[in-house]
């Protein structure tokens, strides 16, 4: 069994599923997903995000499937890891994760560099972490791309926009705000993308390509309309889209200026334009050690 203890919002969940799906692929075992943390931590989320995608069938867990030995080992590991000191957490995980792996536990959430896990075929494998790197699923990337297509069709007006973004030299600008700016603790760690960064990113692509269409996506569209101005035609995403619709429309764009967020990472990754230009922030987080394995080789970095 591949038991995925999933958490976070859609972008995070896609990374976690992709890693668990790879482990399921090489073992052939059943995939079981525990959504309890998602519903506990995010009161506005009332559905399983993956249910909107063409993912493989999975069984929904309630926690009783976890063997007692593994449960207590997870609790011990959780208490050993410091919450707010990333460097210490990283080095502790380097020590304890190989030991946990002997018991079928892949519990790694410092997310600084990838750690490889060999699942035990036919046994209980507990998976929890962020796994924000394409290296966790690169061997089945084609499968992941197919499974991360929405089951439902877009509304006609959204389909027209999707097709227009595919035809034009479009630039998707993703602006993550929310708790990245409203929560002082998180802002100190994650607020790395300034208005100047987005302006420079769009200008960089526009200096290479002509007649561009800028598509701005954000969790704070009102702020974007007031604070971001770009040359040429600019479209702001409409309100009312669910996360899978938002992401699917974003993937139609041919080029990207991304934020340091998992949601915008997936937009550029799932885009099928082989000549895409992707601008990313040079610094992904204000933490040390900084995550590096989430970065793609083809990105153009801007301060």
């Amino acid at each position: 069994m591949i038991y995925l203890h999933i958490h976070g919002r859609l972008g995070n969940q896609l990374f976690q599923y992709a890693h668990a799906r790879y482990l399921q692929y090489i073992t052939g075992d059943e995939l079981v997903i525990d959504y309890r943390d998602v519903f506990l931590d995010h009161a506005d989320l009332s559905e399983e995000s993956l249910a909107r995608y063409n993912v493989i069938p999975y069984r929904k867990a309630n926690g009783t499937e976890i063997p007692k030995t593994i449960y207590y080992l997870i609790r011990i590991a959780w208490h050993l890891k410091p919450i707010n000191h990333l460097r210490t957490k990283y080095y502790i995980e380097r020590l304890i994760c190989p030991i946990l792996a002997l018991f079928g536990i892949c519990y790694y959430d410092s997310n600084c560099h990838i750690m490889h896990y060999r699942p035990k075929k036919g046994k209980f494998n507990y998976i929890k972490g962020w796994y924000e790197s394409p290296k966790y699923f690169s061997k089945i990337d084609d499968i992941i791309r197919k499974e991360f297509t929405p089951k439902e069709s877009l509304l006609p007006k959204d389909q027209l926009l999707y097709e227009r973004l595919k035809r034009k030299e479009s630039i998707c600008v993703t602006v993550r705000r929310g708790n990245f700016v409203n929560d002082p603790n998180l802002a100190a760690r994650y607020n790395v993308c300034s208005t100047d960064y987005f302006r420079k990113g769009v200008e960089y692509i526009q200096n290479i390509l002509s007649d561009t269409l800028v598509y701005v996506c954000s969790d704070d569209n009102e702020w974007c309309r007031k604070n971001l101005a770009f040359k040429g035609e600019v479209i702001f995403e409409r309100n009312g889209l669910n996360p899978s619709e938002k992401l699917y429309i974003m993937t139609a764009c041919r080029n990207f200026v991304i934020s340091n967020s998992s949601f915008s990472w997936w937009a550029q990754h799932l885009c099928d334009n082989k000549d895409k230009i992707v601008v990313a922030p040079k610094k992904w987080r204000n933490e040390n050690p900084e995550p590096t394995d989430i970065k793609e080789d083809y990105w153009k970095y801007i301060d």
Side-chain angles (χ1 to χ4, degrees), residues 111-115 132-136 265 290-296:
N111 212 39
C112 299
H113 303 287
I114 69 164
M115 291 186 69
E132 294 182 355
S133 170
K135 296 178 181 178
Y136 280 115
W265 187 95
E290 186 191 25
T292 56
D293 287 321
I294 193 172
K295 298 178 179 180
E296 303 269 31

Side-chain angles (χ1 to χ4, degrees), residues 162 166 246-253 256 266-267 270-272:
Y162 178 91
K166 292 279 280 188
K246 288 165 62 84
L247 183 59
Y248 186 59
I249 294 173
M250 291 161 66
T251 65
C253 292
F256 297 84
W266 277 107
L270 295 174
C271 167
D272 59 8

Side-chain angles (χ1 to χ4, degrees), residues 68-78 100 103 105 107:
K68 287 186 177 180
T69 300
I70 289 181
Y71 172 80
Y72 287 118
L73 286 171
I74 294 167
R75 295 295 297 174
I76 292 171
W78 184 83
L100 294 176
F103 295 89
I105 301 172
Y107 179 19

Side-chain angles (χ1 to χ4, degrees), residues 281-293:
K282 190 172 184 180
K283 180 182 289 188
W284 194 257
R285 291 197 310 222
N286 290 315
E287 292 183 292
N288 190 15
E290 186 191 25
T292 56
D293 287 321

Side-chain angles (χ1 to χ4, degrees), residues 227-246:
N227 294 277
L228 296 179
F230 304 111
K231 295 179 182 178
E233 184 179 3
V234 180
I235 298 176
F236 293 86
E237 72 170 352
R238 73 172 182 87
N239 294 325
L241 294 168
N242 67 54
S244 63
E245 292 171 329
K246 288 165 62 84

Side-chain angles (χ1 to χ4, degrees), residues 54-289:
N54 289 295
V55 298
I56 62 169
Y58 61 85
R59 179 158 58 90
K60 189 175 178 180
N62 57 25
T64 59
E65 301 87 351
I66 304 175
K68 287 186 177 180
T69 300
I70 289 181
Y71 172 80
Y72 287 118
L73 286 171
I74 294 167
R75 295 295 297 174
I76 292 171
W78 184 83
H79 284 289
L80 286 174
K81 297 179 183 184
I83 297 175
N84 295 320
H85 198 286
L86 182 65
R87 178 180 287 272
T88 303
K89 178 187 287 188
Y90 170 64
Y91 286 114
I92 288 176
E93 288 191 335
R94 291 289 298 270
L95 292 173
I96 68 173
C97 282
I99 299 173
L100 294 176
L102 297 175
F103 295 89
I105 301 172
C106 181
Y107 179 19
Y108 177 58
D109 62 2
S110 65
N111 212 39
C112 299
H113 303 287
I114 69 164
M115 291 186 69
H116 297 286
Y117 172 74
R118 294 183 179 180
K120 299 179 181 297
K121 182 177 175 60
K123 304 292 184 181
F124 187 94
N125 295 271
Y126 178 90
I127 316 299
K128 184 177 182 181
W130 299 103
Y131 307 111
E132 294 182 355
S133 170
K135 296 178 181 178
Y136 280 115
F137 57 89
S138 59
K139 293 182 179 179
I140 61 164
D141 191 45
D142 289 344
I143 293 175
I144 292 299
R145 289 173 182 272
K146 291 177 182 178
E147 293 187 7
F148 287 170
T149 54
K151 291 180 178 178
E152 298 180 1
S153 301
L154 295 171
L155 292 176
K157 60 181 177 182
D158 295 324
Q159 184 63 36
L160 288 174
L161 173 61
Y162 178 91
E163 293 169 359
R164 187 172 181 222
L165 293 172
K166 292 279 280 188
R167 291 194 307 267
K168 295 276 293 183
E169 281 295 0
S170 47
I171 305 172
C172 180
V173 179
T174 52
V175 183
R176 169 66 189 272
R177 287 180 57 77
N179 56 4
F180 273 25
V181 295
N182 298 328
D183 185 320
N185 293 324
L186 294 181
R189 297 160 61 189
Y190 300 127
N191 190 15
V192 302
C193 296
S194 64
T195 54
D196 195 44
Y197 160 75
F198 294 112
R199 178 185 60 80
K200 288 180 179 178
V202 171
E203 287 181 353
Y204 173 81
I205 297 176
Q206 289 179 331
N207 286 335
I208 300 173
L209 304 173
S210 59
D211 191 24
T212 60
L213 167 61
V214 179
Y215 181 56
V216 182
C217 306
S218 177
D219 53 1
D220 192 346
N221 283 326
E222 186 66 24
W223 183 92
C224 291
R225 291 176 183 274
K226 292 179 180 178
N227 294 277
L228 296 179
F230 304 111
K231 295 179 182 178
E233 184 179 3
V234 180
I235 298 176
F236 293 86
E237 72 170 352
R238 73 172 182 87
N239 294 325
L241 294 168
N242 67 54
S244 63
E245 292 171 329
K246 288 165 62 84
L247 183 59
Y248 186 59
I249 294 173
M250 291 161 66
T251 65
C253 292
R254 297 180 58 80
N255 308 280
F256 297 84
V257 179
I258 67 172
S259 295
N260 56 322
S261 80
S262 56
F263 193 76
S264 56
W265 187 95
W266 277 107
Q268 62 84 34
H269 185 78
L270 295 174
C271 167
D272 59 8
N273 177 23
K274 295 181 179 179
D275 299 318
K276 62 190 171 189
I277 302 172
V278 179
V279 173
K282 190 172 184 180
K283 180 182 289 188
W284 194 257
R285 291 197 310 222
N286 290 315
E287 292 183 292
N288 190 15

